[in-house]
Amino acid sequence: MKRIFKILVVVLALSALVQTIALAKVKTGDTTDSSKGHSDPTV
Amino acid sequence: MIQQSKLIGQINHFRADSSGWIGSVIMFIFALIAGYRWHTSGLIFFGLLLVRDLAASWFLISRKPSKEKTDLRVIELIAYLSSGFPFIYLNPHHSLPQAGLLSSILAVIGFAISTLAVFDLGRSFGVSPANRGVVRTGLYRYVRHPMYTGYVISEFGFVLLNPFNYILWVISIALYLYRSILENRVLDLPDLASSLGDGRN
């Protein structure tokens, strides 16, 4: 039983790490995209 | 004496361990807050916090009776103040560009270590120094105080977010060291200086 909970902790921690890094990359991507400005659509 | 801590144990009567019940209610409230934050923010970090606080809440009402504990209320007060010390860290200011990401990573790693340590302690878990048997399984096989080690790692993230937090971080480490020394004495373990000559106890 204890081992199951400890595995759960490790899985949650790894998931949190992946989520944190992914969110940071998305945030960096949003900042980069917004700095490019808007381009008018061509007809 | 080496004892194997069990995950499921008998719940203590309130009169037998009132401080455990009070601490358990506090940790349960923290767990509810963590659950709410997980629900509203979607950050899995709060899920990790929820598991940690629920585990601590359970172990505080099912913990083994202490064979020996500190009689001084001042020491108990210092232990609880040390536990709540992270709340006074200053907000981010003059931080480096990647400080947010690094501090989040450190927080996750640190809390994971301290949460695993809570499960390793099991029914030997407590806030103020008390002798409920020496645990030498799991992380305690490699580090004498893995819970404090995890807290130090996670709190260093605050230093990255605001350099002025460095002084608070040093004070926090000093409090953990003080608690470690007291716990070593209560558990009749050699201090770090005397144990450096012999890596294993």
Side-chain angles (χ1 to χ4, degrees), chain B:
Chain B
M1 187 170 82
I2 299 173
Q3 291 188 355
Q4 189 77 21
S5 58
K6 297 179 183 176
L7 181 62
I8 304 294
Q10 185 180 3
I11 296 177
N12 298 322
H13 194 275
F14 178 79
R15 286 180 190 168
D17 191 8
S18 57
S19 61
W21 271 93
I22 293 169
S24 176
V25 169
I26 294 172
M27 295 309 295
F28 186 73
I29 292 172
F30 286 163
L32 290 176
I33 296 172
Y36 174 74
R37 293 294 301 273
W38 189 14
H39 175 69
T40 56
S41 70
L43 294 173
I44 300 173
F45 168 75
F46 290 109
L48 183 61
L49 209 57
L50 170 70
V51 171
R52 197 272 308 262
D53 292 342
L54 281 177
S57 178
W58 168 255
F59 290 133
L60 280 169
I61 59 172
S62 64
R63 61 188 181 179
K64 292 182 277 190
S66 58
K67 303 168 195 171
E68 180 188 345
K69 69 177 291 184
T70 54
D71 293 328
L72 296 174
R73 291 294 173 191
V74 172
I75 295 175
E76 278 196 52
L77 181 64
I78 290 173
Y80 279 96
L81 280 175
S82 170
S83 298
F85 195 82
F87 287 118
I88 71 171
Y89 279 109
L90 303 171
N91 288 330
H93 189 64
H94 289 128
S95 57
L96 298 171
Q98 298 298 326
L101 172 62
L102 287 172
S103 77
S104 296
I105 291 174
L106 286 173
V108 171
I109 293 172
F111 269 106
I113 292 172
S114 60
T115 304
L116 288 171
V118 168
F119 281 103
D120 284 331
L121 280 180
R123 296 182 63 213
S124 298
F125 175 76
V127 178
S128 56
N131 187 349
R132 296 185 180 88
V134 178
V135 174
R136 296 190 196 276
T137 57
L139 291 176
Y140 285 88
R141 200 185 317 170
Y142 312 104
V143 182
R144 188 176 293 178
H145 297 281
M147 207 175 301
Y148 299 149
T149 305
Y151 292 151
V152 169
I153 292 172
S154 64
E155 289 176 31
F156 186 69
F158 288 108
V159 178
L160 297 177
L161 293 173
N162 189 333
F164 293 109
N165 282 328
Y166 179 73
I167 299 170
L168 297 174
W169 185 63
V170 170
I171 295 172
S172 183
I173 291 177
L175 287 171
Y176 291 139
L177 277 173
Y178 179 65
R179 293 170 72 181
S180 303
I181 291 170
L182 286 177
E183 287 170 17
N184 289 346
R185 286 184 190 168
V186 170
L187 293 170
D188 199 23
L189 293 172
D191 288 332
L192 179 63
S194 58
S195 66
L196 282 176
D198 179 15
R200 295 186 179 187
N201 293 320

Side-chain angles (χ1 to χ4, degrees), chain A residues 2 6 8-11 16 19 21 23 25 29 33 36-37 41:
Chain A
K2 182 192 276 191
K6 290 172 81 171
L8 172 66
V9 169
V10 172
V11 168
Q19 184 186 51
I21 295 170
L23 282 173
K25 282 189 175 177
D33 288 342
K36 286 181 182 173

